[in-house]
């Protein structure tokens, strides 16, 4: 069902304050990184390093910190140094893409006592099986709990797994509150797929060995700077909540509800800015208007 220029739904994300015991200060006399992060995603206390705590943290992160790539689109560049990610995603209320989102989440997991490490993979979303190899441009996380490995991802846009996925159940369907997922062995690693519109679609092929930092630096450079990267040409934002997935690609807003309902609409430049504020929880910056106006002409309803 496609609509044009309808009023956008108002969404709210509450952020209850942390208790005084959860607000230790950093060296600058402000709340610590971890307490500021938990406040950013709306959690009032530290989750325990358990599967339940991991799932709670992942869902809260995805609902509060949107996927977006404006710094690549505008040419500002994407800095994945820990302090740059912290300033952007935690303190400035911005979102980011996988190298920012999952690096931030990995840092949080480590501070909370989880056994976690970063992995890297090749995106295969919307590609035919015989498409050439893609670059290694997607970061994810492996968490071990009680000896079991779990895939955790907070940075794959509108099809991001909404909860931890077991990595020791090859080929098994794993239902979530949105799509069903599966991981199958492939080339010494894992192929991650989601059931969309009645068929399995590949998200990415994941390497099993932990990735060194230089691999993320190279992948981030390609994703944010290379002319072939779609992040250099398309306005992209996404957010996942318990109720729905929200995706914006140029001027096409898609809402996929957990009950199966789908709504699409095409937006003007002003409506794109409204969607960024009200749905994706972003405050448009002055440098975004040019790319927003260009995105508003990408698709036209006949």
């Amino acid at each position: 069902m496609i609509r044009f220029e309808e009023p956008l739904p108002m969404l709210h994300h509450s952020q209850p304050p942390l208790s005084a015991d959860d607000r230790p200060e950093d060296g600058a006399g402000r709340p610590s990184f971890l307490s500021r992060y938990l406040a950013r995603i709306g959690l009032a206390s530290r989750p325990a390093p358990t599967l339940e705590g991991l799932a709670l943290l992942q869902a809260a992160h995805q609902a509060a910190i949107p996927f977006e790539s404006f710094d690549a689109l505008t040419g500002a560049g994407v800095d994945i140094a820990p302090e740059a990610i912290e300033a952007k995603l935690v303190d400035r209320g911005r979102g980011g893409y996988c190298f920012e989102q999952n690096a931030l989440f990995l840092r949080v997991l480590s501070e909370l006592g989880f056994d976690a490490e970063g992995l890297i993979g090749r995106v295969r979303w919307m590609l035919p099986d015989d498409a050439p190899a893609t670059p290694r441009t997607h970061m994810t996380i492996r968490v071990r709990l009680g000896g079991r490995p779990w895939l955790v991802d907070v940075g794959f846009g509108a099809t991001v797994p909404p909860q931890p996925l077991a990595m020791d159940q090859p080929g098994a369907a794993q239902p979530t509150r949105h799509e069903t997922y599966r991981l199958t062995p492939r080339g010494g690693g894992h192929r991650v797929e989601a059931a969309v519109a009645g068929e399995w679609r590949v998200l990415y092929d994941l390497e099993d060995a932990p990735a060194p930092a230089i691999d993320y630096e190279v992948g981030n450079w390609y994703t944010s700077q290379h002319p072939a990267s779609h992040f250099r040409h398309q306005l992209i934002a996404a957010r996942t909540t318990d109720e729905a997935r929200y995706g914006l690609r140029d001027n096409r807003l898609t809402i996929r509800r957990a009950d199966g309902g789908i709504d699409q609409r095409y937006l003007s430049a002003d409506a794109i800015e409204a969607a960024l504020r009200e749905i994706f929880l972003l405050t448009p910056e002055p440098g975004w208007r040019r790319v927003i106006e260009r995105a508003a002409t990408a698709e036209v309803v006949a």
Side-chain angles (χ1 to χ4, degrees):
M1 183 176 187
I2 299 178
R3 299 173 181 155
F4 181 70
E5 288 302 320
E6 292 188 354
L8 298 171
M10 292 297 294
L11 302 177
H12 303 280
H13 181 71
S14 60
Q15 296 187 354
L18 295 174
S19 67
D21 291 341
D22 288 323
R23 292 198 302 267
E25 294 183 348
D26 64 9
R30 62 179 179 171
S32 69
F33 158 72
L34 186 57
S35 60
R36 284 184 286 117
Y37 170 83
L38 292 175
R40 171 81 169 93
I41 67 170
L43 293 186
S45 60
R46 298 165 57 110
T50 62
L51 181 58
E52 293 75 14
L54 179 61
L56 173 66
L57 197 68
Q58 182 176 357
H61 181 113
Q62 291 178 356
I65 304 180
F67 183 96
E68 53 103 341
S69 55
F70 275 96
D71 287 346
L73 185 60
T74 63
V78 178
D79 187 345
I80 60 171
E83 60 274 13
I85 296 173
E86 177 182 341
K88 179 181 175 182
L89 275 65
V90 177
D91 297 330
R92 289 171 48 205
R94 284 281 304 276
Y97 62 19
C98 71
F99 292 112
E100 301 166 286
Q101 298 268 9
N102 283 316
L104 175 66
F105 203 65
L106 177 58
R107 179 181 172 189
V108 169
L109 293 177
S110 298
E111 292 210 13
L112 287 172
F114 286 91
D115 178 3
E117 60 191 351
L119 301 176
I120 200 164
R122 303 178 189 273
V123 175
R124 304 297 295 174
W125 180 243
M126 303 301 289
L127 293 178
D129 289 341
D130 60 353
T134 55
R136 302 159 79 231
T137 58
H138 185 59
M139 177 185 182
T140 64
I141 301 169
R142 176 167 52 204
V143 179
R144 289 187 171 88
L145 294 163
R148 294 191 65 191
W150 296 85
L151 173 64
V152 180
D153 192 345
V154 294
F156 198 72
T159 323
V160 64
Q163 64 192 48
L165 300 177
M167 301 181 73
D168 58 356
Q169 298 181 7
Q174 301 188 48
T176 75
R177 60 189 180 280
H178 292 294
E179 295 81 16
T180 295
Y181 291 80
R182 71 180 180 187
L183 280 71
T184 55
R186 184 176 178 87
H190 308 270
R191 168 157 284 189
V192 182
E193 298 171 281
V196 179
E199 63 181 37
W200 289 105
R201 298 185 185 178
V202 182
L203 275 64
Y204 44 82
D205 289 332
L206 195 60
E207 297 181 6
D208 191 60
I214 187 61
D215 287 352
Y216 301 133
E217 291 284 349
V218 172
N220 178 63
W221 176 87
Y222 181 95
T223 305
S224 64
Q225 300 290 337
H226 197 281
S229 170
H230 68 283
F231 291 112
R232 298 286 291 127
H233 308 286
Q234 289 185 315
L235 189 160
I236 299 172
R239 180 169 167 250
T240 294
T241 69
D242 286 347
E243 297 76 26
R245 292 190 185 273
Y246 305 90
L248 181 65
R249 185 173 292 268
D250 285 327
N251 62 338
R252 187 178 70 232
L253 174 67
T254 303
I255 301 172
R256 299 180 183 274
R257 297 181 175 82
D259 63 8
I262 300 176
D263 184 18
Q264 276 191 349
R265 62 193 72 174
Y266 293 87
L267 308 178
S268 66
D270 289 345
I272 290 173
E273 288 198 349
L276 292 174
R277 291 189 185 94
E278 297 164 12
I279 294 178
F280 301 99
L281 312 181
L282 292 167
T283 300
E285 299 182 358
W288 297 3
R289 184 65 189 190
R290 173 180 56 84
V291 296
I292 287 172
E293 290 179 348
R294 185 177 68 204
T297 67
E299 293 188 53
V300 179
V301 177

